[in-house]
Amino acid sequence: MDSAEYERRIAARFATFDQDGNGYISREDFSTAAAALCTEFGATARSEKGQALYIGAEAFWQGMAGIADRDGDQRITRDEFVGGAVKRLRDNPDRFAEIARPFLHAAIDVADGDADTAVTPVEAKRALKALGVPEEIAEGVAAALDVDRDGRVTEQEIVQAFAQYFTVPE
Ligand code: CA
Ligand code: CA
């Protein structure tokens, strides 16, 4: 991968986290993501599933801040993201999976219409779109998640795909 392609990929990852698009990653981006998923799937913030999602989002933020917020100002700048998060996540993808898992677990619960602890590719696509992923990309990602084409995307598949997406090779 050339450096322009690497930069482009990093910028796309950063934009995924910077949900409100204000140029840095903060706690608000994670609560914004939780709110977007609740709205998309008709869960209230005060419901059990809604609360679990907000708690998972907070834990995700704390984990990311611990890795990347070097000056402790509660904001992850693009420089901190590239220098801290991207490098450390690449060195240790399992750590990233651990940080993201409570949020992803709760997101699956919110999106899972028939409560079989997995989401359908359609539900996965709706979740991605709610998080601002463009339609055509969300479609492809959701289809790819269902590796064995049984119509179910499990937590393990999502956690792995998520960690893979954010551990950008140099
Ligand atoms: Ca932001
Ligand atoms: Ca900072």
Side-chain angles (χ1 to χ4, degrees):
M1 188 186 317
D2 64 24
S3 65
E5 170 64 10
Y6 178 70
E7 280 298 312
R8 196 191 60 74
R9 289 199 190 189
I10 295 293
R13 275 33 162 204
F14 186 81
T16 307
F17 276 111
D18 183 14
Q19 285 278 309
D20 61 12
N22 64 353
Y24 55 85
I25 300 166
S26 67
R27 172 176 281 117
E28 286 70 34
D29 292 310
F30 289 82
S31 50
T32 298
L37 288 171
C38 281
T39 301
E40 174 64 28
F41 294 101
T44 65
R46 299 180 69 174
S47 66
E48 204 174 311
K49 289 179 179 182
Q51 282 186 24
L53 189 56
Y54 277 89
I55 290 168
E58 172 65 18
F60 197 176
W61 158 246
Q62 292 287 346
M64 285 295 289
I67 285 177
D69 181 19
R70 278 171 297 181
D71 61 3
D73 68 350
Q74 303 292 306
R75 295 177 176 189
I76 300 170
T77 62
R78 202 173 146 179
D79 277 354
E80 286 176 328
F81 185 72
V82 173
V86 172
K87 184 181 180 312
R88 293 183 60 182
L89 298 176
R90 188 173 53 230
D91 293 346
N92 193 352
D94 290 346
R95 171 91 182 108
F96 186 60
E98 201 181 295
I99 290 168
R101 191 183 293 276
F103 175 74
L104 296 174
H105 180 87
I108 290 167
D109 266 359
V110 164
D112 177 15
D114 61 2
D116 68 346
T117 70
V119 293
T120 65
V122 172
E123 288 164 342
K125 183 184 161 192
R126 283 174 61 196
L128 289 166
K129 279 182 68 186
L131 296 174
V133 176
E135 167 104 34
E136 64 280 8
I137 294 176
E139 175 95 52
V141 171
L145 280 171
D146 183 16
V147 178
D148 58 5
R149 306 255 163 209
D150 68 348
R152 297 173 82 248
V153 182
T154 62
E155 177 174 325
Q156 194 53 31
E157 287 171 323
I158 288 174
V159 169
Q160 271 174 6
F162 206 74
Q164 243 165 36
Y165 177 73
F166 283 105
T167 49
V168 185
E170 239 167 339

